[in-house]
């Protein structure tokens, strides 16, 4: 069967562009994406490796998640009204085998009927005479079900029950002939939703204690690209899921974060914390905020005006200069937290002091995603201009249950923007000395070549980065290239050296030369590597 969303597109594309395929053209990376090239990629690897090392000392373990998930997973967790879900996701249609459950609920039947409808319109279901007829009847049954009140099966009126039975039968036949139907899928804009999905799918609540996970990888948001803001960007994140919401968990995750930032040389950072309350207290505060915002609506910009009704907390995020004095007069959540949230927040602050972690309270830190409860936090760094947030995170206690998991599971996590962390390290000039090319083997003469190959392998076996020219070079050219490649040493092997078994090791920085046997050479390089200047 033809007709999977992206395949249709590929087929159309092939047909449309066939005549042009022979013309020469160059390609560039798509807007908002970029290549990370050497030597920058070495800095990236080092930053990610440092995160792994630090996080593992806190008991976190790596989780590798898919890069695309069902769109609905993101819509449910991040929130349909958030900018991310509303306008920034890269979505496409994927195919998935769908089976009708043994005794489906009305909700599930309506959902499947919607899916069949969409698939029918896209031509994904074979248009056989039988399917045409069944589909007509299904549409009728679907309408009947939709128009009826949503009542339990037992309490259903006869026409509705009939409608339901017909719909089930028809769905069964159509799904049977379709085999697979399209499902809306999106490239992940963040990885908390996927982590929670995986936690539930693999029954990780049964694991002992809190489950601590970390991930690294690309995320995708269709934002307006600028310095520090890309459509494919990278995050290093961590999540703690489990039965406890002790403030010490929040504090420990913040400690880990700041230890990591210090380890990679990002010291000019500021940690902001806030509590945005829970299901019990936040709605009341949001209502109060909304009332106050309505009073000043005329003075706000269009975005904030829209958000008053859709996502009032987000108004506090506004950066518009003329809205700032107005926002400052609005009621603050700290005065409206319920006793449990208030206590949680004050214990968190005690824990931060206990760990000597400097922080600032920021009552306007609400974060854009729906799933946050209580603790929210952000870290900013210097040298990044307007996109200065390098990390964001918070608690999401109800998310596991919202996504169909065990009730009562609590969660907290953060995501570091790797691109921005690296930009900030580069701007600070505080770059680590990463090992580069150690030895350039300058060989000359056919008899020297086998010796050069053998020594290069031995050095590489010991972990040294070695460049062995594939073709013979003149002496001067060889040393010139060694220099340009930034090699620490040139190992000179001519035919005489090959015959005598003694080689010249030249340190390129100061031209110091030593004549060494193979054993001495290996020992010398090892001891230099161990030494203070290695
Ligand atoms: P969020 O998932 O929105 O809480 O973002 C967490 C961190 O990811 C932010 O603090 C940024 O450092 C980074 N980030 C978010 N969106 C982008 C983007 N479009 N480009 C680069 N970094 C981003």
């Amino acid at each position: 069967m033809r007709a999977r969303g992206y395949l249709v597109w590929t087929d159309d594309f092939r047909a449309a562009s066939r005549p042009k395929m022979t013309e020469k053209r160059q390609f560039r990376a798509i807007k908002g994406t970029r290549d990370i090239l050497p030597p920058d990629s070495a800095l990236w690897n080092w930053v990610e490796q440092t995160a792994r090392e630090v996080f593992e000392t806190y008991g976190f373990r790596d989780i590798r998640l898919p890069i695309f998930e069902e769109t609905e997973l993101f819509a449910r967790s991040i929130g349909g009204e958030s900018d991310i879900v509303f306008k920034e996701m890269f979505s496409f249609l994927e195919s998935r085998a769908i089976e009708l459950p043994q005794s489906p609920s009305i909700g599930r039947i309506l959902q499947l009927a919607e899916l069949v409808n969409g698939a029918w319109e896209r031509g994904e279901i074979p248009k056989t005479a039988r399917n045409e007829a069944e589909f007509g009847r299904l549409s009728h049954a679907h309408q009947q079900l939709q128009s009826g009140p949503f009542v339990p099966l037992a309490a259903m009126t006869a026409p509705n029950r009939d409608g339901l039975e017909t719909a089930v039968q028809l769905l069964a036949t159509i799904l049977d002939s379709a085999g697979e139907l399209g499902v809306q899928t999106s490239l992940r804009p963040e990885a908390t939703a996927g982590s929670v999905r995986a936690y539930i799918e693999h029954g990780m609540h049964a694991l002992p204690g809190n489950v601590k996970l970390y991930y690294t990888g690309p995320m995708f948001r269709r934002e307006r690209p600028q310095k520090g803001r890309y459509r494919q960007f990278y995050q290093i994140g961590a999540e703690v899921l489990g039965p406890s919401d002790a403030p010490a968990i929040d504090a420990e995750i913040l400690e880990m974060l700041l230890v990591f930032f210090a380890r990679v040389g990002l010291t000019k950072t500021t940690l902001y914390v806030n509590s945005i309350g829970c299901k019990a207290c936040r709605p009341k505060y949001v209502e109060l905020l909304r009332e106050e915002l309505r009073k000043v609506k005329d003075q706000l910009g269009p975005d904030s005006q829209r958000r008053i009704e859709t996502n009032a907390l987000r108004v506090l995020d506004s950066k518009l200069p003329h809205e700032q004095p107005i926002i400052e007069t609005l009621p603050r959540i700290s005065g409206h937290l319920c006793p449990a949230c208030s206590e949680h927040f004050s214990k968190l602050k005690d824990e931060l002091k206990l760990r000597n972690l400097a922080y600032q309270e920021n009552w306007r830190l609400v974060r854009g995603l729906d799933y946050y409860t209580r603790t929210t936090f952000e870290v900013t760094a210097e040298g990044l201009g307007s996109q200065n947030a390098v990390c964001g995170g918070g608690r999401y206690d109800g998310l596991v249950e919202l996504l169909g998991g065990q009730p009562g599971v609590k969660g907290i996590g953060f995501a570091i923007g790797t691109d921005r962390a690296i930009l900030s390290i580069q701007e600070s000039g505080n770059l680590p000395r990463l090992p580069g090319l150690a030895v350039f083997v300058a060989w000359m003469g056919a008899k020297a070549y086998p010796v050069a190959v053998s020594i290069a392998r031995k050095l590489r076996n010991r972990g040294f980065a070695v460049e062995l020219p594939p073709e013979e070079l003149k002496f001067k050219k060889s040393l010139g290239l060694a220099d340009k490649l930034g090699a620490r040493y040139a190992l000179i092997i001519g035919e005489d050296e090959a015959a005598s078994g003694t080689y010249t090791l030249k340190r390129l920085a100061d031209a110091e030369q030593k004549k060494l046997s193979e054993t001495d050479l290996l020992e010398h390089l090892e001891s230099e590597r161990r030494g203070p200047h290695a």
Side-chain angles (χ1 to χ4, degrees), residues 190 221 223 228-230 233 235 367 389-392 415-417 420:
E190 52 94 66
R221 295 181 196 173
E223 294 192 87
R229 191 157 78 188
Y230 312 97
F233 61 100
Q235 287 186 337
R367 320 251 323 119
V390 281
C391 175
I416 297 162
R420 291 188 198 169

Short mmCIF file of all heavy atoms in Angstrom, two decimals, residues 190 221 223 228-230 233 235 367 389-392 415-417 420, ligand 1:
data_model
loop_
_atom_site.label_atom_id
_atom_site.label_comp_id
_atom_site.label_asym_id
_atom_site.label_seq_id
_atom_site.Cartn_x
_atom_site.Cartn_y
_atom_site.Cartn_z
N GLU A 190 11.88 18.52 23.43
CA GLU A 190 12.56 18.39 24.73
C GLU A 190 12.47 16.91 25.10
O GLU A 190 11.80 16.15 24.40
CB GLU A 190 11.91 19.29 25.78
CG GLU A 190 10.41 19.13 25.91
CD GLU A 190 10.02 18.17 26.98
OE1 GLU A 190 10.27 18.47 28.14
OE2 GLU A 190 9.46 17.10 26.68
N ARG A 221 13.02 22.68 17.63
CA ARG A 221 11.92 23.64 17.79
C ARG A 221 12.02 24.63 16.64
O ARG A 221 13.10 25.15 16.37
CB ARG A 221 12.05 24.41 19.11
CG ARG A 221 11.88 23.54 20.32
CD ARG A 221 11.98 24.34 21.62
NE ARG A 221 12.20 23.43 22.73
CZ ARG A 221 12.46 23.81 23.96
NH1 ARG A 221 12.53 25.10 24.26
NH2 ARG A 221 12.65 22.92 24.92
N GLU A 223 11.94 27.73 15.97
CA GLU A 223 11.99 29.08 16.51
C GLU A 223 12.72 29.96 15.51
O GLU A 223 13.35 29.46 14.58
CB GLU A 223 12.79 29.09 17.82
CG GLU A 223 12.10 28.32 18.93
CD GLU A 223 12.75 28.59 20.27
OE1 GLU A 223 12.36 29.57 20.92
OE2 GLU A 223 13.64 27.82 20.67
N GLY A 228 22.67 31.68 19.64
CA GLY A 228 22.24 30.91 20.80
C GLY A 228 20.84 30.33 20.68
O GLY A 228 20.33 29.76 21.62
N ARG A 229 20.22 30.52 19.51
CA ARG A 229 18.89 29.91 19.34
C ARG A 229 18.82 29.24 17.97
O ARG A 229 19.01 29.89 16.95
CB ARG A 229 17.80 30.96 19.47
CG ARG A 229 16.43 30.32 19.56
CD ARG A 229 15.42 31.22 20.22
NE ARG A 229 14.98 32.23 19.27
CZ ARG A 229 14.21 33.25 19.60
NH1 ARG A 229 13.83 33.42 20.84
NH2 ARG A 229 13.84 34.11 18.69
N TYR A 230 18.60 27.95 17.99
CA TYR A 230 18.64 27.16 16.76
C TYR A 230 17.38 26.32 16.67
O TYR A 230 16.66 26.15 17.64
CB TYR A 230 19.88 26.24 16.75
CG TYR A 230 21.13 27.00 17.13
CD1 TYR A 230 21.61 26.98 18.43
CD2 TYR A 230 21.77 27.79 16.17
CE1 TYR A 230 22.73 27.72 18.77
CE2 TYR A 230 22.89 28.53 16.51
CZ TYR A 230 23.36 28.50 17.82
OH TYR A 230 24.45 29.24 18.16
N PHE A 233 18.91 22.05 18.27
CA PHE A 233 19.87 22.42 19.30
C PHE A 233 20.05 21.20 20.19
O PHE A 233 19.40 20.17 20.00
CB PHE A 233 19.39 23.64 20.10
CG PHE A 233 18.08 23.41 20.81
CD1 PHE A 233 18.04 23.12 22.17
CD2 PHE A 233 16.88 23.47 20.12
CE1 PHE A 233 16.83 22.90 22.82
CE2 PHE A 233 15.67 23.25 20.77
CZ PHE A 233 15.65 22.96 22.12
N GLN A 235 20.67 19.34 24.10
CA GLN A 235 20.50 19.46 25.55
C GLN A 235 21.19 18.31 26.26
O GLN A 235 21.31 17.20 25.74
CB GLN A 235 19.00 19.44 25.92
CG GLN A 235 18.28 20.73 25.54
CD GLN A 235 16.83 20.77 26.04
OE1 GLN A 235 16.23 19.72 26.28
NE2 GLN A 235 16.29 21.96 26.19
N ARG A 367 8.36 29.54 33.81
CA ARG A 367 8.69 28.57 32.77
C ARG A 367 7.48 28.33 31.86
O ARG A 367 6.35 28.48 32.26
CB ARG A 367 9.18 27.24 33.36
CG ARG A 367 10.08 27.42 34.54
CD ARG A 367 11.52 27.10 34.33
NE ARG A 367 11.76 25.99 33.46
CZ ARG A 367 12.43 26.12 32.32
NH1 ARG A 367 12.90 27.26 31.94
NH2 ARG A 367 12.63 25.06 31.57
N ALA A 389 19.88 32.12 29.04
CA ALA A 389 19.53 30.98 29.90
C ALA A 389 20.28 29.76 29.42
O ALA A 389 20.16 29.37 28.26
CB ALA A 389 18.03 30.73 29.86
N VAL A 390 21.08 29.17 30.30
CA VAL A 390 21.81 27.95 29.89
C VAL A 390 21.15 26.70 30.43
O VAL A 390 21.51 25.59 30.04
CB VAL A 390 23.30 27.93 30.32
CG1 VAL A 390 24.13 28.79 29.41
CG2 VAL A 390 23.49 28.31 31.76
N CYS A 391 20.23 26.86 31.36
CA CYS A 391 19.58 25.67 31.90
C CYS A 391 18.23 26.05 32.48
O CYS A 391 18.07 27.12 33.06
CB CYS A 391 20.44 25.08 33.01
SG CYS A 391 19.65 23.69 33.82
N GLY A 392 17.27 25.16 32.29
CA GLY A 392 15.96 25.38 32.90
C GLY A 392 15.45 24.08 33.45
O GLY A 392 15.81 23.00 32.95
N ALA A 415 17.19 20.72 31.98
CA ALA A 415 17.86 20.56 30.69
C ALA A 415 18.82 21.72 30.50
O ALA A 415 18.43 22.89 30.62
CB ALA A 415 16.84 20.53 29.56
N ILE A 416 20.06 21.37 30.22
CA ILE A 416 21.08 22.38 29.94
C ILE A 416 21.12 22.58 28.43
O ILE A 416 21.10 21.59 27.68
CB ILE A 416 22.47 21.86 30.40
CG1 ILE A 416 22.47 21.64 31.91
CG2 ILE A 416 23.58 22.81 29.97
CD1 ILE A 416 23.60 20.74 32.39
N GLY A 417 21.14 23.81 27.98
CA GLY A 417 21.30 24.08 26.55
C GLY A 417 22.78 23.95 26.21
O GLY A 417 23.56 24.82 26.54
N ARG A 420 24.46 26.73 24.12
CA ARG A 420 24.71 27.98 24.85
C ARG A 420 25.80 27.81 25.88
O ARG A 420 26.61 28.71 26.10
CB ARG A 420 23.44 28.45 25.54
CG ARG A 420 22.42 28.89 24.53
CD ARG A 420 21.25 29.53 25.20
NE ARG A 420 20.13 29.56 24.27
CZ ARG A 420 18.90 29.87 24.61
NH1 ARG A 420 18.62 30.17 25.87
NH2 ARG A 420 17.95 29.88 23.71
P1 LIG B 1 13.63 24.47 28.02
O1 LIG B 1 13.51 23.06 27.56
O2 LIG B 1 12.83 25.44 27.18
O3 LIG B 1 13.46 24.63 29.48
O4 LIG B 1 15.13 24.89 27.71
C1 LIG B 1 16.22 24.48 28.47
C2 LIG B 1 17.46 25.09 27.90
O5 LIG B 1 17.64 24.66 26.55
C3 LIG B 1 17.41 26.61 27.79
O6 LIG B 1 17.81 27.21 28.98
C4 LIG B 1 18.38 26.87 26.67
O7 LIG B 1 19.70 26.89 27.17
C5 LIG B 1 18.24 25.67 25.79
N1 LIG B 1 17.39 25.98 24.60
C6 LIG B 1 16.05 26.00 24.52
N2 LIG B 1 15.65 26.30 23.27
C7 LIG B 1 16.76 26.48 22.54
C8 LIG B 1 17.03 26.80 21.16
N3 LIG B 1 16.05 27.00 20.28
N4 LIG B 1 18.32 26.90 20.77
C9 LIG B 1 19.34 26.71 21.65
N5 LIG B 1 19.15 26.39 22.94
C10 LIG B 1 17.88 26.27 23.38
#
